Amino acid sequence: SEMAAVLAIFDVMKDLGKKVPVILLNARLVQDTTAVAGVMLRNFRAFEGTLLPVFHLEQFDPEDDKDPLPLNSAVIVRVWPRPYSVWEDNPEDPEAIDGYFLLDVNEQQPQDFQDCLTFLKGSRELTKRMRLKERQEREKGGKLL
């Protein structure tokens, strides 16, 4: 597995007394902790504590949930020293910056997929409410802000 190979590299560096920068791109070395146990998991946790994530870019495309208004995609980003952030791909949002709307910020770790799904569903519900309010105002002949 990737994790075993990465841990082996760090064991060699430790044995040789050398520290070499290592770049991992979107490393999700442990996706299922039930599949990894014992010494390897302990070694990974110790190794993980030494990492400094400086760049992270990940696309999140939620599955279609059959709602008339589909969920937008999102991007999870970090460029150190800034925190991790989730940006909704929503060019129709007047508050969006270059077509992306900031949904969340996290200093410690990238947001997981369940959190992203929750943020996107919340955004969709707010969009529905805003559109309903706009429609009601138009039907009453009122002015929109």
Side-chain angles (χ1 to χ4, degrees):
S1 78
E2 288 178 335
M3 183 176 62
V6 170
L7 289 173
I9 291 169
F10 282 90
D11 284 342
V12 169
M13 287 192 304
K14 184 177 167 185
D15 292 344
L16 295 174
K18 305 259 183 197
K19 289 188 177 183
V20 178
V22 175
I23 298 172
L24 304 173
L25 299 176
N26 287 355
R28 289 201 187 270
L29 300 175
V30 175
Q31 295 177 8
D32 181 9
T33 55
T34 58
V36 180
V39 174
M40 186 177 283
L41 185 58
R42 281 193 303 278
N43 290 344
F44 172 73
R45 293 294 181 218
F47 157 73
E48 187 177 39
T50 66
L51 297 178
L52 174 62
V54 295
F55 183 79
H56 186 94
L57 180 61
E58 185 174 4
Q59 177 80 22
F60 176 70
D61 293 311
E63 291 184 18
D64 183 13
D65 62 357
K66 308 299 183 212
D67 191 283
L69 181 61
L71 292 171
N72 291 322
S73 295
V75 179
I76 306 163
V77 179
R78 180 180 195 186
V79 178
W80 188 81
R82 294 183 182 132
Y84 293 96
S85 54
V86 177
W87 295 83
E88 179 182 22
D89 185 0
N90 193 353
E92 294 178 19
D93 189 325
E95 300 291 323
I97 300 169
D98 293 329
Y100 290 90
F101 183 78
L102 179 63
L103 294 176
D104 187 55
V105 174
N106 186 323
E107 292 285 340
Q108 303 303 317
Q109 62 189 16
Q111 295 80 347
D112 65 26
F113 290 155
Q114 189 57 49
D115 286 343
C116 290
L117 192 58
T118 300
F119 300 143
L120 291 171
K121 285 181 178 180
S123 178
R124 175 175 63 189
E125 290 308 311
L126 289 172
T127 299
K128 286 179 179 181
R129 288 182 200 161
M130 287 176 21
R131 288 180 180 175
L132 176 62
K133 185 176 180 180
E134 289 172 353
R135 189 177 76 233
Q136 290 170 339
E137 288 294 319
R138 274 194 310 274
E139 289 172 355
K140 287 193 311 190
K143 293 184 178 179
L144 294 176
L145 298 176

